[in-house]
Amino acid sequence: MDGPPGRRFARYHARVQTRSSYLTMAMGLATVLLGLLLTLTPGPGFLVLLIGAAIIAGQSRRLARALDRAELRLRRAVRVFRRRGS
């Protein structure tokens, strides 16, 4: 995904929206469910969950905007954490 932080998922949604399909949405939902199951075990569950959310963001403008806001908040939190840790 390209673009400035806070606009990446919205741009991805706009680019992918022309190829909208139920199969893509089903694949995203299946990936999210797999990620949820994997969070119960040691491993990359959270990463799989985020990948599924990104797939769905290509089909859902609302989720794309929510992920953009979450990215900005996460970046802000990391900056604060790094300043306090130094």
Side-chain angles (χ1 to χ4, degrees):
M1 282 186 245
D2 59 346
R7 295 289 304 155
R8 295 177 206 271
F9 291 100
R11 284 184 178 196
Y12 173 71
H13 169 74
R15 188 174 61 240
V16 173
Q17 191 58 36
T18 59
R19 299 176 291 184
S20 178
S21 71
Y22 292 109
L23 181 61
T24 304
M25 185 64 88
M27 185 175 71
L29 288 173
T31 307
V32 166
L33 291 175
L34 178 63
L36 287 172
L37 286 174
L38 289 174
T39 58
L40 301 175
T41 63
F46 189 67
L47 179 62
V48 173
L49 184 72
L50 287 176
I51 290 169
I55 292 171
I56 295 171
Q59 306 300 319
S60 167
R61 180 178 292 148
R62 182 175 287 166
L63 182 59
R65 289 178 180 166
L67 288 174
D68 283 333
R69 286 190 301 273
E71 178 188 14
L72 292 175
R73 288 183 184 143
L74 180 63
R75 285 176 177 271
R76 212 173 299 131
V78 167
R79 262 185 268 135
V80 168
F81 180 75
R82 284 184 179 170
R83 276 189 225 137
R84 289 183 182 175
S86 296

